[in-house]
Amino acid sequence: MAENQYDAIVVGARCAGSPTAMLLAHRGYKVLVVDRSTFPSDTVSTHLIHPPGVAALRRWGLLDQVIATGCPAIDTYAFDFGPFTLAGSPASADEAASYAPRRTVFDKILVDAASEAGAEVREAFTVEDVLIEDGRITGLRGHAKGGKTVTERARVVVGADGRHSLVARAARAEQYNEKAPILQAYYSYWSGLPTNARFETYVRPGRGFAAWATNDDLTLIVGGWPVAEAEANKKDVEGNFYKSFEQAPEFAERVRGAKREARFSGTAVPNYFRKPFGPGWALVGDAGYNKDFITAQGMQDAFRDAELCVTALDEAFTGARDFDVAMADYQMARDQHVLPMYEFTAQLASLEPPPPEMQQVLGAVHGNQDAMDGFARVAAGVTSPAEFFSQENLGPIFAAAATAAAS
Ligand SMILES: Cc1cc2nc3c(=O)[nH]c(=O)nc-3n(C[C@H](O)[C@H](O)[C@H](O)COP(=O)(O)OP(=O)(O)OC[C@H]3O[C@@H](n4cnc5c(N)ncnc54)[C@H](O)[C@@H]3O)c2cc1C
């Protein structure tokens, strides 16, 4: 077999790829990271980063750069269910706030961090195919914009290439726990719509929408409806978007006084897990696991994947552990961590009224600040839904609600 030029080639240089390349380069590995995009550039995604994602950025020494872009801290999450609002702090033990930097500024920070760590970054480079030799992925073929096809080899090719991952497809990565797209959402940016450090979200029958602040004094509003309505509503996205707000008249009034500053972007996404490793390959970020965006978990999930995957690859490269054993641990840690949130997210994305037991829980949480903070932490991915909705946790919340009702 020809000698490897790189320890790792990472395909995709956004939330999953650049951190993976950066962390491998920090450990002294020879890394190439390629993306067909150039940076700065936008991508179809809103961009709320909850406290666990913020903590990763701090660990990597990047948080100050993100804050310096001017995106304000968000320290309160408010869930308006119509009859009542649950407002609490999403703070984790390490981080008090969330941030929502525009992807144009944020992804560039990540790409530059990979480069500064020593990874070779090739922008405007399109991967055409992977090399497979004796059943093992050994590299890739691709080309720079306008250039000839070149071949690059590595000990491992990491697919950080998003939902339509070429690496996952070429590797025939097993897909499991699949769910069809649930929610069709659109978003844009408004000036003149202050949100006062709050992530505001509105839950109404068949409709969900949210607003929060980002760079340049702009506020992002995202709103959606079930995919079953996607085709019919596509004819008038703007009209249907604004019509949703009529179910929250005060919010509708604020939006009427604001100015939309960008065009609408929108999509619906499939939900799946993929086995994230095999001979000569690994997957991180959306390439390996995707869920509806209603709970805004994707960016911090990508960061966690990068850390877990790099730890496993390092163990395999140094010979400390067998590749399959180390990577199976990465898969298990990922799946165990995200599975309760995956189900919670799918339920929220359906935009169906909460089931009766959930309505009872929400009613008991309302007005109890500790419990509302706990609920905000669930939405932020700080606390697992499995933990928050456990009998041990809910027992005292119901008891406090009963005491309050009796007094
Ligand atoms: C509408 C919407 C709203 C969202 N809102 C949020 C939110 O508020 N908060 C949050 O945390 N998450 C959110 N997400 C999820 C988040 O966008 C993703 O989870 C995250 O961006 C995944 O990053 P990634 O690096 O895995 O993939 P991607 O961001 O998809 O990056 C993949 C990269 O691979 C490159 N690539 C692909 N194929 C090739 C190829 N053949 N050759 C070269 N390059 C290639 C692409 O150019 C791209 O740059 C949202 C998603 C959507 C769709």
Side-chain angles (χ1 to χ4, degrees), residues 226-250:
V227 278
E229 295 180 40
E231 207 41 48
N233 289 354
K234 206 162 78 178
K235 295 181 194 96
D236 181 12
V237 167
E238 185 170 15
N240 284 298
F241 193 82
Y242 286 115
K243 199 166 152 209
S244 309
F245 306 157
E246 286 168 16
Q247 298 191 58
E250 280 178 29

Side-chain angles (χ1 to χ4, degrees), residues 45-384:
S45 173
T46 68
H47 34 80
L48 180 64
I49 307 177
H50 300 295
V54 173
L57 296 172
R58 190 186 294 279
R59 279 196 293 284
W60 303 341
L62 302 178
L63 182 59
D64 288 347
Q65 281 183 61
V66 172
I67 295 172
T69 68
C71 56
I74 297 168
D75 62 14
T76 303
Y77 287 12
F79 306 88
D80 180 327
F81 290 95
F84 59 83
T85 298
L86 306 183
S89 159
S92 65
D94 320 317
E95 298 296 337
S98 304
Y99 293 88
R102 286 293 290 266
R103 296 294 295 263
T104 40
V105 291
F106 181 70
D107 293 11
K108 172 78 174 145
I109 289 173
L110 296 181
V111 173
D112 288 351
S115 171
E116 278 155 28
E120 179 184 337
V121 179
R122 284 191 213 163
E123 300 182 22
F125 183 95
T126 300
V127 176
E128 299 160 20
D129 206 353
V130 297
L131 301 179
I132 302 181
E133 291 164 306
D134 299 330
R136 179 181 180 80
I137 291 186
T138 55
L140 52 77
R141 275 181 289 268
H143 62 272
K145 195 169 177 205
K148 284 207 302 263
T149 296
V150 297
T151 299
E152 304 290 359
R153 290 175 184 278
R155 295 160 83 181
V156 69
V157 172
V158 181
D161 47 349
R163 295 194 298 279
H164 307 292
S165 171
L166 176 150
V167 177
R169 205 167 50 244
R172 296 175 194 270
E174 179 205 340
Q175 196 154 300
Y176 52 100
N177 288 352
E178 292 163 68
K179 298 181 202 285
I182 307 169
L183 177 71
Q184 171 76 42
Y186 291 89
Y187 67 93
S188 187
Y189 298 90
W190 278 256
S191 59
L193 185 65
T195 47
N196 302 324
R198 283 158 82 92
F199 162 69
E200 298 177 22
T201 178
Y202 298 84
V203 185
R204 296 292 186 273
R207 293 292 181 272
F209 39 97
W212 64 92
T214 181
N215 301 85
D216 305 320
D217 291 324
L218 294 177
T219 293
L220 183 158
I221 306 178
V222 59
W225 37 77
V227 278
E229 295 180 40
E231 207 41 48
N233 289 354
K234 206 162 78 178
K235 295 181 194 96
D236 181 12
V237 167
E238 185 170 15
N240 284 298
F241 193 82
Y242 286 115
K243 199 166 152 209
S244 309
F245 306 157
E246 286 168 16
Q247 298 191 58
E250 280 178 29
F251 183 71
E253 187 57 36
R254 282 165 61 208
V255 177
R256 272 195 288 278
K259 180 167 179 249
R260 181 160 65 86
E261 302 284 1
R263 62 182 180 80
F264 283 98
S265 302
T267 191
V269 300
N271 306 271
Y272 57 77
F273 288 67
R274 291 182 184 139
K275 183 179 176 193
F277 70 97
W281 59 274
L283 301 176
V284 287
D286 286 1
Y289 161 57
N290 195 55
K291 60 275 144 192
D292 193 276
F293 38 78
I294 195 163
T295 47
Q297 300 294 306
M299 296 169 77
Q300 65 186 14
D301 283 345
F303 303 161
R304 195 183 46 253
D305 277 5
E307 289 185 331
L308 290 171
C309 182
V310 166
T311 300
L313 287 177
D314 185 41
E315 289 171 343
F317 287 158
T318 58
R321 297 174 89 199
D322 181 71
F323 176 85
D324 284 346
V325 174
M327 294 299 280
D329 271 1
Y330 156 48
Q331 178 179 11
M332 198 170 66
R334 179 195 69 177
D335 289 7
Q336 280 182 354
H337 187 91
V338 301
L339 200 54
M341 184 52 114
Y342 185 66
E343 298 301 338
F344 181 68
T345 298
Q347 191 193 326
L348 280 184
S350 73
L351 301 180
E352 281 170 13
E357 322 82 70
M358 179 64 96
Q359 288 186 26
Q360 280 181 349
V361 172
L362 298 176
V365 167
H366 177 230
N368 174 338
Q369 193 57 56
D370 282 350
M372 292 196 292
D373 291 345
F375 187 76
R377 286 196 296 272
V378 172
V382 172
T383 307
S384 168

